[in-house]
Amino acid sequence: MTGRIFITQLKLALRNRSSLFWTLCFGCILGTLFYFGFGSIYSQESFDTIDAAVLSDGGDESYSYLVDTLKELKNDDGTPLLNIHEVSGDEAKRLLDEDEIKGILSLPDVKLTVKERGISESILTIVAGEIKSNKDYIEYIMTEHPELAGELISDISDKTQEKSVGYAEIVSIGGQNKDPYVAYFYNLIAMVCLFCANSSLSFVCRNQANISETGKRTNLSPVSKVKYELTGLAAVYMVQLAASELVLMYLVFILKINFGGDLAWLVLLTALGTLLGVSLGYLIGHIGTKDYDRKSGLITAITLIGGFFAGLFYHSMKLIMEQNNPLINRINPSAVITDAFYSLNIFGVGDRLMRSIVYLAGLSIVFIAVGTVLGRRQEYASL
């Protein structure tokens, strides 16, 4: 009997074209639009090599050490951070006036002169601050332990990049993919997973006696209602899981989106997100006696409003909510799913990712348990 119920509900779920469209087709379409809209923004915003002039105030021996350090600073992609022009004071002023350089660094006292305020000038300010605060250390390493010069320069480069991202409006603290716009694709997957709720909602409403004729026959049958609903929910989950994983494969292999993690973990997180979406629809289906359309509207509102607070429309919104009202990020299904992908990319497989996985699974179990209890309490005066 269980196998027959599963196969029947599997067929019905496959015939639910509306739910499959919102999960599969809409996800691929929106992903393609995101790709063309955000695909090249990060590369355009990445730091270019900055032209700067360097002057010596007195021919101090440390001058050459500091210049060598400045020349070796690198961007994340390996390109030089600075293009150093060793010129006289008059020549440096001319280059600055003609906008051929962004600033003048005086060594070894490390003083910076700029013409205007901007991203490049802000980065030069950070570089000057790092060089000035580490000047004695640089001289010591260069003279006593030159074999450690590479590590020193790499460390200064990393600190400069980390402090500079704010000026370029890029939020990035590490990870495999430092593109902040990948957060939109995290939210896209979250939205696709939550749209799976419509399929489980359809299943629940179809089997409620006050909504459909099928529900009347189902409630009159001798099959355990809990067994029937959980078996049907499993069938719905299998269909929606296949659809959401296909969207993930499209993003990864066709659009070449770098989610910043191994494919196996991405598949697992998508599966857990789909489970959360299906369980959400299962829960909402058992709340009240409203029809499918009204409950579907509630799911759409939860998905879109939750997506907004999770960063679907503005990638920094989730960070804003974390700073001002972190509780919303803890109970918002979209935020829970996106945080799992974010944890995998930025921190890798570790404690934060495990907490996200437990949270996804735990919230899904709670939704299913509450939905099942509510379903058992539904009674009808007559059928």
Side-chain angles (χ1 to χ4, degrees):
M1 180 61 71
T2 301
R4 177 178 293 182
I5 295 172
F6 181 84
I7 293 174
T8 300
Q9 295 303 325
L10 192 68
K11 291 178 180 179
L12 290 172
L14 287 170
R15 293 171 185 170
N16 192 339
R17 296 181 180 178
S18 175
S19 295
L20 287 177
F21 170 81
W22 287 108
T23 305
L24 181 57
C25 299
F26 184 74
C28 291
I29 292 171
L30 192 57
T32 303
L33 294 176
F34 279 1
Y35 172 76
F36 287 111
F38 309 126
S40 60
I41 292 181
Y42 181 65
S43 60
Q44 294 171 358
E45 287 186 347
S46 59
F47 303 135
D48 295 324
T49 300
I50 302 171
D51 288 289
V54 173
L55 305 178
S56 173
D57 290 340
D60 192 287
E61 185 180 17
S62 63
Y63 169 81
S64 60
Y65 300 141
L66 297 179
V67 171
D68 289 342
T69 302
L70 290 170
K71 289 181 178 179
E72 291 298 322
L73 295 178
K74 304 289 184 183
N75 283 312
D76 281 342
D77 58 4
T79 59
L81 180 63
L82 303 175
N83 181 24
I84 300 299
H85 301 263
E86 296 184 67
V87 295
S88 64
D90 292 338
E91 179 67 10
K93 291 180 181 178
R94 183 190 69 80
L95 292 174
L96 186 62
D97 290 338
E98 296 178 0
D99 295 323
E100 294 186 24
I101 59 174
K102 296 297 183 180
I104 302 172
L105 277 168
S106 298
L107 300 178
D109 53 346
V110 195
K111 293 180 179 179
L112 176 66
T113 302
V114 296
K115 181 180 178 181
E116 56 189 22
R117 297 179 64 181
I119 294 177
S120 298
E121 288 78 8
S122 298
I123 295 174
L124 282 176
T125 302
I126 294 171
V127 171
E130 288 295 320
I131 294 296
K132 188 170 186 176
S133 63
N134 291 283
K135 186 176 70 171
D136 294 338
Y137 185 50
I138 292 172
E139 293 178 30
Y140 171 75
I141 291 295
M142 292 295 192
T143 55
E144 302 296 331
H145 299 282
E147 70 278 3
L148 300 178
E151 295 181 16
L152 169 66
I153 292 169
S154 177
D155 182 58
I156 296 176
S157 296
D158 290 342
K159 289 181 179 178
T160 301
Q161 290 289 317
E162 184 176 336
K163 294 180 179 179
S164 299
V165 292
Y167 294 102
E169 297 183 355
I170 298 173
V171 180
S172 173
I173 59 173
Q176 295 186 33
N177 184 6
K178 298 187 177 184
D179 183 352
Y181 296 99
V182 74
Y184 287 106
F185 293 96
Y186 297 158
N187 277 282
L188 172 61
I189 292 295
M191 185 179 69
V192 167
C193 291
L194 292 182
F195 273 144
C196 294
N198 286 301
S199 185
S200 54
L201 173 64
S202 177
F203 161 71
V204 173
C205 291
R206 188 170 58 244
N207 292 286
Q208 289 180 335
N210 62 311
I211 295 179
S212 73
E213 293 297 322
T214 302
K216 293 178 182 179
R217 294 193 295 271
T218 300
N219 281 271
L220 287 172
S221 69
V223 180
S224 166
K225 188 173 183 179
V226 173
K227 180 180 180 181
Y228 180 88
E229 289 197 336
L230 292 181
T231 302
L233 185 66
V236 169
Y237 174 68
M238 293 300 295
V239 173
Q240 293 300 313
L241 175 63
S244 57
E245 295 292 2
L246 283 174
V247 174
L248 176 67
M249 296 302 109
Y250 174 75
L251 296 176
V252 172
F253 293 108
I254 304 300
L255 298 185
K256 305 294 184 182
I257 303 301
N258 179 11
F259 281 85
D262 293 337
L263 182 61
W265 285 103
L266 297 175
V267 170
L268 173 62
L269 294 181
T270 303
L272 288 172
T274 303
L275 179 62
L276 180 59
V278 170
S279 62
L280 176 65
Y282 181 75
L283 170 64
I284 292 177
H286 285 102
I287 297 176
T289 58
K290 301 298 182 182
D291 59 15
Y292 171 82
D293 291 335
R294 294 187 181 184
K295 291 180 178 180
S296 179
L298 177 60
I299 289 176
T300 301
I302 291 174
T303 302
L304 294 180
I305 295 174
F308 169 77
F309 286 117
L312 179 62
F313 307 110
Y314 176 54
H315 67 83
S316 295
M317 180 55 68
K318 185 170 180 287
L319 178 62
I320 294 173
M321 297 308 300
E322 188 68 29
Q323 294 172 341
N324 295 281
N325 198 340
L327 178 61
I328 291 180
N329 282 346
R330 302 297 176 270
I331 62 176
N332 178 7
S334 296
V336 173
I337 296 172
T338 55
D339 189 67
F341 283 96
Y342 173 83
S343 300
L344 176 63
N345 177 28
I346 300 301
F347 303 104
V349 180
D351 292 341
R352 179 162 177 173
L353 177 62
M354 293 301 112
R355 287 197 299 270
S356 297
I357 290 175
V358 171
Y359 201 16
L360 283 171
L363 198 57
S364 300
I365 292 171
V366 169
F367 285 170
I368 294 173
V370 174
T372 300
V373 171
L374 293 176
R376 290 189 63 185
R377 291 182 176 180
Q378 288 179 338
E379 297 180 353
Y380 304 96
S382 62
L383 293 175

